[in-house]
Amino acid sequence: PTMRAIPEGAVFSAEQAYSLGWTQSALRHAVVRGRLLRLRRGFYAVADAATPEIAARAVAANYPAGVVSHRSAALLQGIPIVGALPAVPEITVPPGSNTNLSGVHVHRAQLRRHDRRLIGGTAVTSPARTLVDLGRSRPVRTAVAALDAALRSGAVREHELVDVLQFCWNWPGIRRAQRAVDAADALAESPLESISRLAIHDLGLPKPALQVTLLDQFHRFAARADFYWDEFGVVGEADGGSKYDSRPVLTAEKERQERLEELGLVVARWGWREPTRTPGVLGRRLELAFERGRLRDRSGFPRLWSC
């Protein structure tokens, strides 16, 4: 049979393949040639579609006692992950389980009934449990970026996070998870904004207001700022590189910045590199912007905007 006999992107069992006319020999041959991946015993996927999500679903299908958790659960729920994706599927099994699986990261922990969800038939930890597990086990920026996105989308509510934190109150990493929950903010509109906010805090810089609407001197809409420091009249913009792949978008953004500067605002921009690799550069850039704002105010140049 041809590869078109298998639904694209689907995890499938050997039994399903047999029903489409495959034989054990044909499956082995497809694996040897790299057309199929053998994810777990009796489960396969099309090679170019074997994403971490697919691998997690395959493990869950083969080991019903396990629940997809941590980063694998975040992927299945559409929660963004800043940092490394899981090299192998992550699952949680009961504390007394003697499950030891090669090629799987096994966590042993108690799960309550409402700590579980079904996504397309796959058992996955709930959004709140997933986020607290990320907070306990991953770097703070990974957890906060995930929390910001989930809070903004409505995938999780604060009382659900509090419930899980209280349940896991004496578990390893719970204090780190609590700090991540305390630092979360639903106003962040992208993971880059989330980690930028953390970097600004760690640099000891003044706390910005988020998603501020700016008006011109005639009280007309001028812009919406990712970050805003009113005491300095500074706008901060966290820009992902792909945002400017289009020339019309680049032109519109240039015109937008010119309008803000004509109102007297100082605009500071940065991308992924500054908060993740060179935070000192971000700090100097913002300090310079703050000083320019002070100079503007000392010179008597009027503030032609409001917010």
Side-chain angles (χ1 to χ4, degrees), residues 5-24:
I6 299 297
E8 183 179 355
V11 172
F12 59 94
S13 68
E15 287 72 20
Q16 289 172 309
Y18 299 155
S19 71
L20 293 171
W22 289 75
T23 64
Q24 284 187 335

Side-chain angles (χ1 to χ4, degrees), residues 159-272:
H159 74 270
E160 295 171 320
L161 294 168
V162 170
D163 170 67
V164 177
L165 287 168
Q166 291 175 343
F167 176 69
C168 306
W169 69 273
N170 61 345
W171 291 17
I174 197 63
R175 290 185 179 179
R176 182 168 57 183
Q178 180 69 69
R179 289 194 295 271
V181 170
D182 291 342
D185 195 317
L187 288 175
E189 293 186 340
S190 71
L192 177 55
E193 290 183 24
S194 299
I195 64 171
S196 296
R197 188 177 76 253
L198 292 176
I200 290 167
H201 175 270
D202 291 344
L203 288 165
L205 297 172
K207 182 179 180 179
L210 307 181
Q211 310 307 331
V212 173
T213 297
L214 300 167
L215 307 176
D216 67 14
Q217 65 268 46
F218 305 108
H219 301 287
R220 298 176 302 197
F221 175 81
R224 192 161 177 262
D226 297 341
F227 302 89
Y228 176 67
W229 291 266
D230 188 64
E231 61 268 46
F232 307 113
V234 168
V235 168
E237 298 284 276
D239 300 325
S242 60
K243 180 177 179 180
Y244 303 115
D245 289 346
S246 166
R247 181 170 291 277
V249 172
L250 179 61
T251 300
E253 192 61 28
K254 181 175 180 294
E255 293 173 351
R256 174 178 177 274
Q257 178 164 337
E258 289 174 350
R259 288 197 303 272
L260 292 176
E261 291 174 342
E262 287 169 358
L263 297 176
L265 286 155
V266 178
V267 180
R269 294 185 177 278
W270 60 87
W272 281 94

Side-chain angles (χ1 to χ4, degrees), residues 7 9 18 55 59 69-70 111 137 190 196 201 214 226 284 292:
Y18 299 155
V59 168
S69 63
H70 295 74
L111 287 171
S137 62
S190 71
S196 296
H201 175 270
L214 300 167
D226 297 341
R284 289 190 293 274
R292 289 173 60 195

Side-chain angles (χ1 to χ4, degrees), residues 27-46:
L27 286 172
R28 286 197 299 268
H29 186 64
V31 170
V32 169
R33 296 190 62 181
R35 297 167 65 196
L36 294 181
L37 291 180
R38 182 178 178 274
L39 300 175
R40 300 296 303 170
R41 182 179 180 181
F43 287 86
Y44 301 84
V46 178

